[in-house]
Amino acid sequence: MKTDVLIIGAGGAGLMAAIAAKEEGASVRVLTKEYPTRSQTCMAQGGMNAALGNVGEDSVEAHIANTLKSAHGLADEEAVRFMCSEAPKAIEWLDSIGVCFSRTEESKIAQRALGGASAKRACYAQDYTGLKILHTLYDRCNALGIEILSEKFLLELLKDESGHLCGAKTLNIRSGNIESYEASCVVLATGGYSRIYGKNSTNSTSSTGDGIAVALRAGAKLLDMEFVQFHPTGLKSSSILISESARGEGGYILNSKGERFTNELAPRDEVSRALNAEIVKGEEIFLDIRHLGEELIDEGLPQERKLAKLYENVDPVHELIPIRPVAHYTMGGVEVDKNSQTNISGLYACGECANHKVHGANRLGGNSLLEIVVFGRVAGKEAAKEALKHQVSDASKEQNAVAFSFESSENHAVDFYAIRDEVGDLFYKNVGIVRTKEELLEAQKRVAEINAKLDSMGVSDNSQTYNTNLVEFLEFKNMLQICEVVVAGAIKREVSVGAHYIV
Amino acid sequence: MKISIQREKELVEYEYTLKDATLLQVLESIKMQEDKTLTFASGCRSSVCGSCSMRVNGKEILACSYKVCDGDVVEPLKNATVLRDLVVDMDKAYAFNAKAKAWLKSQPTNTLLSPEDEKRNEVQSDCILCSACYSACPVYSVNEEFLGPFALTRVWKYVSDKREGDAADKIETVQSSGVWDCTLCNECSVVCPQEISSKADIEKLRAKSAQFGFMDPSFGNFGGFGSNDGSPVF
């Protein structure tokens, strides 16, 4: 059955869009390649910015100023103003649906400092902020009876004769069949592309930029794809994130000599460059939170302690945590206007896959959860309003199951997993924290070579059902396409700005 | 070192060399280097997305936070249809969240909550829906419609929330195939990676049910009032 609005992606942005579209009176269906609650949003730890002033003075104007400063002139002031002004209402709404935010002694929502912020502005729920917001949004979707279909991998966006978006074609991962879902409007909420950096990323293995690649193939405009945020405190061996709140609470960054060498609470791009400069000198880098004490660590940073023990075999209460900067958030995405509308009629986008021009050249910590709630709502509402202008026809054709056809072979000349790792390391080195023209050109050349050899790579698993080898190959091809755009954008931008630092 | 993995038809033994590795790292290395058909789910690698729950030596774990030991036997979760190898269909399990009406009904604004109020359901709101508890629950062998540990914990999360002004609906919902069907065996608490005790939450829901005038149906039937066909009377 056709729906008014089809949402692709069930992370925070997608679920928020679904809720808003439903509340607008539209029929809604959500598709996800995973399950709802398993998206990247659950990994957001630090907090969500809103100038509530619950802990010391703050103002929406200060929030706007901090966001614009971090964006280095590449943000749209009107969009930033809208997002920051909506923030207190967004928090109030999340509170009203039951998000378990941490509280102050005065029984208000607690707030803490994150990098680049002039006040304690990030509302948090221990270090599980994203997890608790995401799960509460999921519960709200259930309350509204929103249909969410899991394990559907986006293949293609469908257009009608007039070029208006009219649905999406997906691979049912379980059956191996191609399915089409018709809708009057489509909202993309498929997340970012940090996994082009392979294992040098804090992100879930699912952050492969599928929606952006598919939108590009459908003719969508992408904007500022070369801007990738490197988070200073990934665990050294696994790239798993240690939240910025560790520094917000007063943690230090030290080199091998035990010296502090940077302002820990500067914006992430600056801190990552400072770390990179030390690493180039041969220093090892550590995060030190020992002086915060066991009680504060267990209350405010319980995940951090658990992850450091598990992946680095260190207990941060007594030991230093080995870290390095790794790819964390992608500022670039599908260009949208203030109504979350892309350049394709009927296609909307929100969350990390979209570029609402609020992060510019560098996102401020605590603004990504804010963005998905504020613009997720805009995207859902606008898509619903547009969809409700059109008549939902019941003429949608009954479709017979068509198997997704692919060739599999036991012996491919080139193993795409090895190439995926190679590209990840190459991009970390050449299209990473500090870039040079020569290294960028070298990366571009290598991506072109790989593209030319794509025919010699492919799927080994011939199973029709639940073929993860096939899904990963499709993701790999999406990532390659994104890599081309990222490196081309980086070459074209000859002056350093924010996270794009060229020497 | 060796581990055995339950594949579609049989238990298959694999050699691995990674030291001090998580099960997820070992599964990935087997897939990359030996057998690209090995099927498992994963996501965040940091124990918050719940994708990689499975069983090792009969006990539910998250593959990303379990350190592999020589001789381990790896199997998919129980109480769910296996889609392939270590991946199960979670749709039915997830659907219990909606069936149990696990959401805040009231939607009040600006309720003052003290740190103590927030602590009342902080642990319950740590749930990552990995379904370890669902797999470990023995009740499903006798009642497939049991709302189950994670959904009931979720209900308690909202019932115990100071912001919820209207819990009656939820309490009524958990009477059938709900709080009284639990055997209080505590298997759910033992396997939870987030240290949530659904058993304790179910006991609290039982106490709350009594406050709302509900009682254990297995007691309600002793007197033989109502129908005489032996079915429980509510």
Side-chain angles (χ1 to χ4, degrees), chain A residues 35 37-38 95-96 99 107 126 132 135 139-140 174 203 306 310-311 313 461 466 468 472, chain B residues 20 31 45 48-49 64 67 84 90-91 94 104 107-108 113 118 122 125-126 154 158 163 194:
Chain A
Y35 285 84
T37 76
R38 291 185 176 176
D95 179 44
S96 80
V99 174
S107 300
Q126 302 83 46
K132 295 192 183 190
H135 279 243
D139 292 343
R140 181 61 21 201
R174 295 173 189 170
N203 278 212
K306 194 162 94 177
L310 182 67
Y311 283 98
N313 279 320
D461 186 350
Y466 221 98
T468 53
E472 282 157 0
Chain B
D20 193 36
K31 181 173 182 180
R45 301 118 57 237
V48 286
C49 80
C64 70
K67 292 270 172 87
R84 197 176 173 198
M90 301 296 298
D91 282 352
Y94 262 65
L104 197 66
Q107 287 202 260
L113 294 186
E118 183 240 335
E122 181 187 303
S125 65
D126 288 345
R154 232 167 166 82
Y158 286 112
R163 289 167 289 193
Q194 295 290 75

Side-chain angles (χ1 to χ4, degrees), chain A residues 90-370:
Chain A
I91 291 287
E92 187 181 288
W93 181 78
L94 290 173
D95 179 44
S96 80
I97 64 167
V99 174
C100 294
F101 287 112
S102 296
R103 299 281 164 166
T104 67
E105 289 304 323
E106 296 80 36
S107 300
K108 293 178 183 166
I109 290 169
Q111 298 187 278
R112 63 183 166 201
L114 292 179
S118 59
K120 290 188 174 179
R121 187 178 295 139
C123 304
Y124 61 97
Q126 302 83 46
D127 51 4
Y128 282 127
T129 318
L131 176 85
K132 295 192 183 190
I133 289 176
L134 179 65
H135 279 243
T136 313
L137 290 173
Y138 167 67
D139 292 343
R140 181 61 21 201
C141 285
N142 280 336
L144 294 170
I146 290 169
E147 181 186 29
I148 305 174
L149 302 177
S150 298
E151 308 202 302
K152 313 282 187 191
F153 183 86
L154 176 64
L155 296 170
E156 198 184 319
L157 293 167
L158 303 172
K159 290 181 188 171
D160 62 20
E161 303 80 35
S162 65
H164 185 90
L165 248 268
C166 63
K169 206 158 92 174
T170 62
L171 165 69
N172 179 330
I173 297 173
R174 295 173 189 170
S175 67
N177 287 338
I178 293 178
E179 297 173 339
S180 292
Y181 293 93
E182 294 181 50
S184 297
C185 286
V186 176
V187 179
L188 269 190
T190 48
Y193 48 92
S194 284
R195 284 306 283 200
I196 64 169
Y197 291 88
K199 61 182 186 296
N200 309 294
S201 167
T202 59
N203 278 212
S204 157
T205 44
S206 289
S207 299
T208 50
D210 307 308
I212 299 175
V214 169
L216 177 66
R217 298 201 284 270
K221 271 192 205 157
L222 309 185
L223 181 68
D224 294 344
M225 293 289 285
E226 61 275 27
F227 291 96
V228 176
Q229 179 170 81
F230 287 80
H231 198 292
T233 58
L235 287 179
K236 192 180 172 193
S237 57
S238 61
S239 301
I240 283 168
L241 176 69
I242 295 297
S243 167
E244 185 158 305
S245 50
R247 283 171 290 139
E249 300 281 6
Y252 301 140
I253 291 177
L254 308 176
N255 60 19
S256 315
K257 302 180 195 78
E259 301 160 344
R260 290 174 68 189
F261 56 88
T262 180
N263 167 16
E264 284 87 354
L265 283 177
R268 288 175 184 170
D269 59 331
E270 287 174 38
V271 182
S272 287
R273 277 197 295 279
L275 263 68
N276 192 60
E278 291 289 305
I279 291 168
V280 169
K281 280 192 251 165
E283 294 284 330
E284 284 186 75
I285 309 296
F286 302 94
L287 177 66
D288 183 5
I289 57 171
R290 294 172 299 178
H291 55 286
L292 302 181
E294 188 163 6
E295 196 183 332
L296 192 150
I297 291 170
D298 282 345
E299 170 58 30
L301 307 164
Q303 256 196 100
E304 273 53 49
R305 187 177 187 188
K306 194 162 94 177
L307 294 171
K309 279 182 177 171
L310 182 67
Y311 283 98
E312 297 287 342
N313 279 320
V314 298
D315 182 353
V317 170
H318 309 291
E319 293 163 282
L320 299 175
I321 312 169
I323 53 162
R324 68 181 180 119
V326 283
H328 178 61
Y329 185 88
T330 49
M331 274 75 76
V334 180
E335 183 174 7
V336 289
D337 64 14
K338 64 180 195 314
N339 295 330
S340 306
Q341 160 89 59
T342 69
N343 62 314
I344 298 173
S345 166
L347 180 65
Y348 296 76
C350 58
E352 198 175 341
C353 74
N355 188 337
H356 275 95
K357 305 182 196 78
V358 288
H359 306 309
N362 183 37
R363 178 177 68 80
L364 212 53
N367 271 357
S368 62
L369 286 174
L370 174 59

Side-chain angles (χ1 to χ4, degrees), chain B residues 26-120:
Chain B
V26 170
L27 292 174
E28 276 167 355
S29 75
I30 293 170
K31 181 173 182 180
M32 297 304 120
Q33 286 150 27
E34 256 183 83
D35 187 348
K36 296 192 169 56
T37 69
L38 179 62
T39 307
F40 54 92
S42 75
C44 72
R45 301 118 57 237
S46 51
S47 337
V48 286
C49 80
S51 303
C52 64
S53 49
M54 51 188 76
R55 290 183 303 138
V56 172
N57 307 327
K59 184 178 178 281
E60 286 74 9
I61 49 87
L62 293 174
C64 70
S65 64
Y66 174 81
K67 292 270 172 87
V68 177
C69 303
D70 191 17
D72 277 346
V73 177
V74 186
E75 296 169 289
L77 294 181
K78 290 190 297 185
N79 297 329
T81 310
V82 175
L83 292 169
R84 197 176 173 198
D85 294 347
L86 300 171
V87 178
V88 297
D89 184 344
M90 301 296 298
D91 282 352
K92 190 179 176 205
Y94 262 65
F96 284 118
N97 289 311
K99 271 194 184 160
K101 298 188 178 172
W103 54 71
L104 197 66
K105 192 180 176 196
S106 304
Q107 287 202 260
T109 47
N110 297 320
T111 313
L112 290 177
L113 294 186
S114 67
E116 292 70 40
D117 293 331
E118 183 240 335
K119 290 273 172 287
R120 283 207 294 216

Side-chain angles (χ1 to χ4, degrees), chain A residues 4-5 20-27 184-185 187 339 348 377-390:
Chain A
D4 293 319
V5 179
K22 185 84 179 183
E23 287 178 347
E24 200 63 26
S27 59
S184 297
C185 286
V187 179
N339 295 330
Y348 296 76
R377 178 176 287 285
V378 171
K381 193 174 169 182
E382 294 300 323
K385 274 167 38 186
E386 176 63 25
L388 290 169
K389 288 184 203 161
H390 302 268

